[in-house]
Amino acid sequence: MAKKGLLIVISGPSGAGKGTICKQLLAEESQLRYSISATTRPPRKGETNGKDYIFLDEEQFMKMRDRGEFLEWAEVYGNFYGTPKKNVEEQLNQGYDVILEIDIQGALQIKRKFPEGVFIFIVPPSLEELESRITKRGTDSQEVIARRLNSAAKELEYVCEYDYVVVNDEVDKAVQRVKAIITAEKCRPHRREINIQ
Ligand code: 5GP
């Protein structure tokens, strides 16, 4: 049987660049798989069902939740988000490393269930830079932007719940740091079978 893969949880304020970092990591690392979350948020322009998210209505989401099909779920900015359990477990069992890009509430739930996961918090270089990135993205209303910035300041207080903090000053550098974390984690004695004669 294949050695179980690493469960990698990435969180950070909206606009910190988690999505871009994950995309680049997935393009560069063939042993990595992305867990596609379910959400009740309506699709943004350019988002595809089944690729970016599994878009559900609230009734469908709650049915999945009640059947215990989520590894974790949370309400974020007025919408529900959840990580479907089956796919993550299958990929890990096949030896792939699985990356979850989820909010702090979800990460804390995963930490209780899978303390052996690797928890990485991505931060922007500053709150000013964060505001500029969210505004430039142009996908959110002024009200949503204000809410996201307010949450970002609060979210930064949770950094210490994570194993690692990566500052996303430049995407390439941030990706290299995450790769270094994955490499180092795989060298930890409790993840290795060591046979020294
Ligand atoms: P967005 O709507 O901008 O795609 O995501 C909003 C927030 O929801 C982000 O912080 C993102 O990481 C988080 N999120 C996405 N998928 C999940 C999930 O499956 N579970 C949880 N708890 N949060 C998620």
Side-chain angles (χ1 to χ4, degrees):
M1 209 174 87
K3 193 169 172 354
K4 230 178 154 187
L6 275 188
L7 181 69
I8 302 154
V9 177
I10 297 213
S11 307
S14 170
K18 291 165 292 178
T20 315
I21 290 172
C22 288
K23 274 201 191 90
Q24 193 162 322
L25 272 171
L26 286 156
E28 293 180 16
E29 297 288 308
S30 58
Q31 92 295 349
L32 205 54
R33 294 287 180 272
Y34 183 72
S35 157
I36 301 167
S37 296
T39 183
T40 59
R41 162 169 84 58
R44 293 195 186 116
K45 215 170 144 228
E47 284 182 332
T48 312
N49 188 26
K51 184 167 165 269
D52 300 286
Y53 280 106
I54 301 159
F55 293 102
L56 303 176
D57 63 29
E58 209 164 306
E59 194 187 332
Q60 292 169 318
F61 187 96
M62 291 310 166
K63 275 193 183 148
M64 275 187 80
R65 182 197 66 175
D66 295 344
R67 288 196 296 257
E69 293 177 18
F70 291 130
L71 213 48
E72 62 72 37
W73 67 275
E75 188 178 346
V76 188
Y77 312 122
N79 293 301
F80 293 102
Y81 294 80
T83 303
K85 201 189 277 181
K86 191 166 162 267
N87 190 40
V88 173
E89 286 178 348
E90 279 174 5
Q91 304 279 12
L92 288 175
N93 288 335
Q94 285 171 30
Y96 291 108
D97 300 329
V98 179
I99 203 158
L100 310 186
E101 190 208 316
I102 61 175
D103 89 314
I104 294 165
Q105 307 169 71
L108 295 178
Q109 291 173 48
I110 301 275
K111 204 176 165 187
R112 281 195 293 274
K113 291 185 198 162
F114 290 95
E116 71 277 23
V118 182
F119 296 83
I120 305 175
F121 200 81
I122 309 279
V123 293
S126 66
L127 282 175
E128 290 74 35
E129 173 64 22
L130 187 70
E131 179 169 7
S132 142
R133 286 184 195 173
I134 302 181
T135 311
K136 270 195 214 135
R137 192 159 72 178
T139 51
D140 298 306
S141 65
Q142 278 305 321
E143 190 208 330
V144 171
I145 292 174
R147 218 173 343 146
R148 287 183 183 233
L149 284 173
N150 193 20
S151 312
K154 288 198 198 110
E155 281 167 17
L156 291 172
E157 292 171 16
Y158 285 87
V159 163
C160 292
E161 298 286 343
Y162 288 74
D163 301 315
Y164 299 93
V165 182
V166 169
V167 178
N168 183 17
D169 42 5
E170 269 178 51
V171 175
D172 283 345
K173 283 189 187 158
V175 168
Q176 290 314 315
R177 290 176 193 129
V178 176
K179 281 191 188 176
I181 291 168
I182 296 172
T183 305
E185 280 292 330
K186 290 192 171 177
C187 296
R188 295 189 67 183
H190 67 278
R191 299 194 198 277
R192 300 192 67 88
E193 284 165 27
I194 304 171
N195 292 310
I196 302 172
Q197 315 248 320

